[in-house]
Amino acid sequence: MAISTWRSALKLLPEPRRKWDAAIWLHASIGDAQREDGDLIGALESFQQAAASSDGYANSFVQLGIGTCLYDLGRQEESTDPLLRAYMGEVEEIFEESNPEYLDHLRERKLIG
């Protein structure tokens, strides 16, 4: 239900939709819900759309979403950059409700202490 509501809200944004900050949060919310539903591929696509919107690439929540989806899809090496970007933006606080293996992944690569 929430996903369809957010998709409807996206359609209400004037073109080009990518330039609106609301697009970041709508795509990220869709991605978060898809992730919760176990749709990792759909979630990754939604988070990537959020990253392509406005200043979405600099958004730590979006980077965390991309990184965790990549990691859980078995693309650990590819997940390193977005996970590190999320960490650099919010330090460990953004990982509080996440599986500790994401931070361990960064520690194993000696990217964080």
Side-chain angles (χ1 to χ4, degrees), residues 90-105:
E90 300 287 332
V91 192
E92 289 188 27
E93 291 175 14
I94 197 162
F95 289 87
E96 284 179 356
E97 295 182 24
S98 298
N99 189 325
E101 68 186 332
Y102 306 128
L103 281 175
D104 291 343
H105 173 75

Side-chain angles (χ1 to χ4, degrees), residues 1-2 4 21 23 37 49 56 67 75 77 79 83 87 93-94 101-102 107 111-113:
M1 178 77 158
S4 63
D21 289 339
D37 288 346
Q49 288 177 328
R75 296 162 61 182
E77 288 309 313
S79 76
L83 289 174
Y87 181 88
E93 291 175 14
I94 197 162
E101 68 186 332
Y102 306 128
R107 285 186 188 104
L111 297 171
I112 62 172

Side-chain angles (χ1 to χ4, degrees), residues 56-85:
Y57 198 74
N59 185 292
S60 296
F61 180 76
V62 170
Q63 291 301 314
L64 179 66
I66 292 170
T68 57
C69 286
L70 288 169
Y71 188 93
D72 292 343
L73 286 166
R75 296 162 61 182
Q76 284 82 15
E77 288 309 313
E78 201 177 338
S79 76
T80 303
D81 184 62
L83 289 174
L84 184 58
R85 287 177 185 276

Side-chain angles (χ1 to χ4, degrees), residues 7 23-24 26-32 34 40-52 62 66:
R7 285 190 174 139
I24 298 168
L26 290 167
H27 283 298
S29 296
I30 292 167
D32 198 38
Q34 289 170 311
L40 294 176
I41 293 172
L44 176 59
E45 291 171 359
S46 294
F47 282 118
Q48 288 171 330
Q49 288 177 328
V62 170
I66 292 170

